[in-house]
Amino acid sequence: MPIVDSDPVGQRAPWPTLTHKASSAPAKRRILETANTLFYGDGIRSVGVDRLISESGVTKATFYKHYGSKDRLIVEYITGRDLMIREFIETIIANAPTPEHSILALVDMIVTAIEGPGFRGCPFINAASEFTDPRHPVRQVVADHREWYAERVGDVFRAAGHPLPGDAGDEFILARDGAMTGGYAGDSIAATTALQRAVERIIADTHR
């Protein structure tokens, strides 16, 4: 049976769906959305081009027209994740009444992700584990994302009056990493509870 350009059906990932601007080709958008689901759920290297094509509901010619190779799609996938999370975090921070509320709202975001359906850990840690060369474009996106995240949280702690905001940002990211990993590999309730306790201790330093 020939492949036709129809809407793909995939399991919902515990993150907002990656999308192109409305002007982008619908087929290209479907390929990226399918990659977002499959790469996160099953691992990047384990998902082949044929499966991407099949579950996107596009032809092989359409896939290569828009992406050229799986490697290019992988980089766009992780870059899209980066941009999506940055925008999401900035929205949370902007909508919080105080810096301390921003931190607590970020914790709630992490807890919601961990407790959500289809959670499989941090997509950036997962991607880094599959691409061991730190010079690889995927690792560069991951490194940039983590550096931005720690600095942005540090900015919030600085606004809250923390005496060592940079250290606080690093500690927050470490606690977040542990919760994301433990929440997937072990007891999600224990992981999220430990995250909340750790962040409460970091916040407490602001009031000393």
Side-chain angles (χ1 to χ4, degrees), residues 111-156:
V111 171
T112 298
I114 293 172
E115 295 178 346
F119 177 71
R120 192 182 172 276
C122 171
F124 300 96
I125 294 175
N126 294 348
S129 70
E130 294 196 63
F131 294 88
T132 57
D133 184 352
R135 299 167 296 180
H136 192 281
V138 168
R139 288 293 298 271
Q140 292 174 7
V141 174
V142 171
D144 288 345
H145 174 82
R146 293 178 60 79
E147 182 178 0
W148 172 85
Y149 201 160
E151 289 181 353
R152 191 67 186 91
V153 174
D155 290 341
V156 178

Side-chain angles (χ1 to χ4, degrees), residues 5 20-33 49 52-53 56-77:
D5 289 349
H20 285 288
K21 294 181 180 179
S23 59
S24 296
K28 184 176 184 180
R29 183 173 63 250
R30 290 203 302 274
I31 294 167
L32 182 58
E33 289 173 351
V49 170
L52 287 165
I53 290 170
S56 298
V58 300
T59 64
K60 183 173 291 188
T62 297
F63 177 88
Y64 285 106
K65 170 187 173 183
H66 290 300
Y67 287 102
S69 68
K70 181 185 172 184
D71 287 343
R72 182 178 169 190
L73 177 59
I74 291 169
V75 173
E76 186 157 343
Y77 154 74

Side-chain angles (χ1 to χ4, degrees), residues 76-113:
E76 186 157 343
Y77 154 74
I78 199 66
T79 300
R81 286 269 180 175
D82 172 42
L83 296 175
M84 176 185 64
I85 296 300
R86 290 191 192 216
E87 181 178 354
F88 197 29
I89 288 173
E90 291 292 0
T91 299
I92 289 173
I93 293 172
N95 290 336
T98 68
E100 186 170 320
H101 280 92
S102 293
I103 296 297
L104 295 175
L106 291 176
V107 172
D108 287 343
M109 175 195 74
I110 297 165
V111 171
T112 298

Side-chain angles (χ1 to χ4, degrees), residues 161-173:
H162 195 285
L164 297 170
D167 290 351
D170 290 339
E171 291 169 9
F172 180 96
I173 296 301

